[in-house]
Amino acid sequence: MLKQATALAVIMALAACGGTGAKTEDTAVQKTETAKADEAGRTAGYNPDRNAYFGDLHIHTRSSFDAYIFNVRRTADDAYRFALGETIQHPSGFDMTIAGGPLDFYTVTDHAEYLGILPAMDTPGTKLSELPRAKDMFSTDPEKIVAAFQGVGASVRSGKPIEDMYDLDTINSVWLQNVAAADKYNQPGKFTTFAAYEFTSVTTAEENGGFGGGNLHRNVFFKGKAPVRAFSTLDSTNPEDLWDWMDAQREAGMEVISIPHNSNVSDGQMFRLETYKGEPMDTAYAEQRMRNEPLVEVTQVKGTSETHPDLSPNDEWANFEIYDELLGSYTVGATKGSYVREAYRNGLKLQEEKGFDPFHFGLVAASDSHVAGGSYSEEDYWSKIGIVDGTPVARGSVPLPGTTSWDEQPKDNPAVINATNWFSRWSASGLTGVWAEENTREAIFDAFRRKETFATTGPRMKVRFFGGFGFDEAMLASANLSHEAYEGGVPMGGDLVGTGEAPAFIAWAQRDPNGGTLQRLQVVKVTSDGEEVIDVACDNGTPDPSTRRCTDNGASVDMSTCTPSNEGASELKVLWTDPDFDPARRATYYVRVLENPSCRWSTWEAMRNGTPPRPDVPETIQERAYTSPIWYIPGG
């Protein structure tokens, strides 16, 4: 049985691989500018002070080899219809409908490696279906299936193509089909899509065909026109070679960025302090990385990459949806080099000591769903892979059939092993928020470029963050707050160059009308030698100046019904100045907003099953959002 678990681990490895635009409160300015915008050919809802749009930047369909092997048959067209609000079917047979209504943008990012090859191998009459590997891949013998798929994973990992499977005509044809689907569903002013794919690099010392290793995956997005083929690990496993290719595409007129994800399971490789080949980093490296990777995905189904309790022992909220086992294995990866907040600190240190910062990135979130539709609600969760984790029993939120106690679970059962190590620890996360003038490819991609983005763990809460000199309390009550803040400062994602005086920051969050209430706003300050989490706004008064913490607001959850108590705020807004500000020192500031506690997805499923919640995962969580930082840079 353990052998079966290991086999599943092998297949799993590479599977690891809002609402409509919210109107700003600055209505007076918006109405005037919208009229002008119509005359200028802008889309309806154009707002120079920018609207919040919500979307998912990381979706797989049947064309990804690891999705197809788990019985996913939904196409890119199905994925876009799901994002627009239509119901599609999960591989396990139940319906999936997006929680909270249609999204504003959505992107299919199938793995470029062997793109569309497995569906072709499973189609009688094709040349690929006649391959011996195809007959093994779709046989009824689990060991043959695993062996055949293991070879594919080893190829992706090593970058050495399997010659008879590496059918570039099929791969390029399916890539262009995905590009065409993105174009078909892109509706300027209503719904945005991008031509995109996943580059699936994994580092590992294993030479036995195993998949387990450090995740260096990136999703690659094109602003408009896309090339006729995608650069994959079968071209090179080195992300720096990907950046060279992206630079060449940009020079050819095709603007492109890539977004790394799951640094939390990179085994310390994503933010290591040297190049892919182990050489020292330099200014050219940092500039190329930031030119091509201005953003990083900080939360998704396979856990949170913000920080880890071992790296942030004084952050009481650091132990949130931590997932640390390397792809397709039961091995816990290295912590250092795997988390964003530490990377911000190391980036500042490199800037101060060597004059460059390769980690000057903004934050986004996504689901990484492999079933065409993301599950963003704790109350309505279906995990990510397909038939392997498509039921509460499979993902370990309820005991095996015939049992009611967690003590009765057989520890050598493959389903129990996999649920314990993987599925029960995964999350109903996440979504990207973007502040953009309108819902078009150009406006949203430009927001990516300037890092005016924020990440949420699922709820569509809106968060703004501005920094500037001359901000005052009166601005908080202004109907044109955002306009004034843009005029006098910088938004999230910006560099704030010092003048010698302390800057002021405006942090502003609004709850998701379909989600929980807000408990607190926090500013996370990072310097080259430390970090601090500071509560700056509370739903029940002001933070204690000595502890820099809100007092307990008494929020709770009725665990018999998963009903939260009524405490909490609909909106938190504050002007804040750093009491320890040093005008001569670089610092990175970002906002984290926390909801009141609510039931985790595993608790919802246990409650419906009439069994106790799983004891080794939290019963409740605090949903949250993270803004991209504002970087303070000393002047002169």
Side-chain angles (χ1 to χ4, degrees), residues 109-395:
T109 53
D110 283 317
H111 295 290
E113 298 77 13
Y114 299 107
L115 181 66
I117 291 294
L118 261 66
M121 292 171 71
D122 195 28
T123 302
T126 65
K127 184 178 178 181
L128 287 165
S129 70
E130 299 301 319
L131 297 176
R133 187 183 297 272
K135 300 186 184 307
D136 289 346
M137 191 85 73
F138 301 105
S139 76
T140 57
D141 183 342
E143 292 196 0
K144 287 184 178 180
I145 297 172
V146 168
F149 195 79
Q150 186 173 16
V152 176
S155 168
V156 172
R157 175 176 55 79
S158 68
K160 299 174 182 176
I162 300 170
E163 187 174 346
D164 56 6
M165 269 185 66
Y166 192 48
D167 183 341
L168 275 173
D169 288 342
T170 297
I171 292 171
N172 294 340
S173 173
V174 175
W175 162 242
L176 292 177
Q177 290 172 26
N178 276 3
V179 173
D183 289 341
K184 175 182 176 183
Y185 286 91
N186 188 56
Q187 305 173 57
K190 182 178 180 183
F191 183 67
T192 293
T193 64
F194 296 99
Y197 71 90
E198 181 162 345
F199 171 83
T200 320
S201 181
V202 180
T203 65
T204 178
E206 293 184 35
E207 298 299 335
N208 61 359
F211 286 171
N215 178 88
L216 287 177
H217 297 190
R218 270 95 171 154
N219 289 324
V220 181
F221 301 83
F222 295 90
K223 182 176 184 179
K225 184 180 178 183
V228 296
R229 70 181 298 269
F231 185 95
S232 78
T233 60
L234 302 180
D235 295 299
S236 169
T237 59
N238 185 346
E240 295 154 39
D241 290 338
L242 170 67
W243 302 339
D244 287 341
W245 180 81
M246 292 169 62
D247 281 342
Q249 303 311 304
R250 197 173 295 111
E251 290 174 4
M254 289 174 280
E255 171 62 327
V256 57
I257 62 170
S258 63
I259 301 177
H261 64 87
N262 281 122
S263 61
N264 56 315
V265 291
S266 71
D267 203 21
Q269 300 301 305
M270 191 67 82
F271 306 130
R272 62 188 295 188
L273 299 179
E274 54 190 14
T275 70
Y276 183 77
K277 293 183 177 178
E279 298 169 349
M281 293 188 294
D282 56 19
T283 299
Y285 172 92
E287 289 179 349
Q288 185 182 38
R289 183 164 186 165
M290 288 300 92
R291 182 168 62 248
N292 288 292
E293 295 191 348
L295 302 170
V296 64
E297 191 182 290
V298 71
T299 174
Q300 63 137 271
V301 67
K302 290 195 308 299
T304 304
S305 299
E306 182 206 11
T307 193
H308 187 284
D310 291 346
L311 298 172
S312 302
N314 295 321
D315 181 351
E316 305 94 306
W317 296 270
N319 190 19
F320 176 74
E321 298 296 89
I322 296 295
Y323 181 74
D324 50 12
E325 295 191 5
L326 301 182
L327 303 183
S329 79
Y330 306 139
T331 302
V332 174
T335 300
K336 288 189 175 181
S338 296
Y339 289 86
V340 168
R341 193 186 298 174
E342 182 201 36
Y344 285 148
R345 184 166 64 246
N346 287 333
L348 291 174
K349 187 174 182 180
L350 286 167
Q351 183 71 57
E352 291 172 354
E353 295 178 352
K354 299 184 178 181
F356 61 82
D357 179 0
F359 307 130
H360 203 78
F361 37 61
L363 301 179
V364 296
S367 69
D368 196 8
S369 172
H370 277 54
V371 296
S375 55
Y376 315 105
S377 168
E378 304 293 330
E379 191 174 351
D380 186 17
Y381 178 72
W382 50 77
S383 196
K384 67 164 280 187
I385 294 178
I387 56 173
V388 180
D389 59 354
T391 66
V393 169
R395 47 186 176 259

